[in-house]
Amino acid sequence: AQSVTQPDIHITVSEGASLELRCNYSYGATPYLFWYVQSPGQGLQLLLKYFSGDTLVQGIKGFEAEFKRSQSSFNLRKPSVHWSDAAEYFCAVGSGGSYIPTFGRGTSLIVHP
Amino acid sequence: DVKVTQSSRYLVKRTGEKVFLECVQDMDHENMFWYRQDPGLGLRLIYFSYDVKMKEKGDIPEGYSVSREKKERFSLILESASTNQTSMYLCASSHNKDGGSGANVLTFGAGSRLTVL
């Protein structure tokens, strides 16, 4: 069975600072990995996805994530955070054998001016 | 440009009422999902449908049923609403192209926030 852990429930950063949100997964083979963002009162929007190939993935809104098989991680990064990045971020893992991805519990990002 | 539409953004219902949450997608996706989102618990899958009239239970199906009579529409039904069903409900869809990879890329609606009094 696949599972996802987002160890940080809340992260607080200052505007302009760099950001890294952690995601660890459990899956026997090469997983499909995703990051979604949810603005307050909205649904989830796909930020980026990894299926195979280059382990550094670029997404929308200036985000990137790196797949590290040895650490079973897929951490999300942004070099300079904007106040509009304040939101809930969800990591998810999927596989070719299932149509149902598994979501982490989410990390709430707070951005201070 | 809206692709997954949930008909009600906010609902207030009374205990024991029958509640219908409607979801429509215009992307011709085969798969549709209903999730429940609660603080600290993330997204929990209630039901999944991979074709018209086909459904599978997710992690928390108790107290819910679903209906998929047309490909584009997936309804979540609370037969007798209870206060512990107060939550945010998210509908999503995905396609079966590109093998399994496409099926795992979900497009979400804006959510329906249900309050049961």
Side-chain angles (χ1 to χ4, degrees), chain A residues 2 32 34 36 38 41-46 49 51 88 90 93-106, chain B residues 9 31 33 35 37 40-43 45 48 50 56 88 90 94 96 99-106 108-111:
Chain A
Q2 57 202 30
Y32 301 145
F34 310 88
Y36 289 83
Q38 183 182 34
Q42 299 298 317
L44 278 69
Q45 179 185 18
L46 182 69
K49 58 185 183 287
F51 292 143
E88 189 90 14
F90 291 92
V93 62
S95 68
S98 170
Y99 288 177
I100 305 175
T102 300
F103 286 82
R105 295 193 174 192
Chain B
R9 291 297 309 275
N31 308 314
F33 307 76
Y35 286 91
Q37 182 181 14
L41 298 179
L43 275 67
L45 182 66
F48 161 64
Y50 53 92
E56 287 188 6
M88 170 74 105
L90 294 169
S94 69
N96 287 343
S101 60
N104 280 265
V105 181
L106 272 55
F108 283 86

Side-chain angles (χ1 to χ4, degrees), chain B residues 9-26:
Chain B
R9 291 297 309 275
Y10 300 94
L11 305 93
V12 179
K13 299 293 182 181
R14 297 207 174 272
T15 301
E17 279 193 77
K18 190 169 185 176
V19 181
F20 292 87
L21 299 181
E22 304 286 345
C23 176
V24 176
Q25 51 95 4
D26 64 0

Side-chain angles (χ1 to χ4, degrees), chain B residues 48-62:
Chain B
F48 161 64
S49 170
Y50 53 92
D51 201 351
V52 174
K53 297 189 186 294
M54 306 305 290
K55 61 185 179 185
E56 287 188 6
K57 293 180 180 179
D59 301 317
I60 53 164
E62 296 79 17

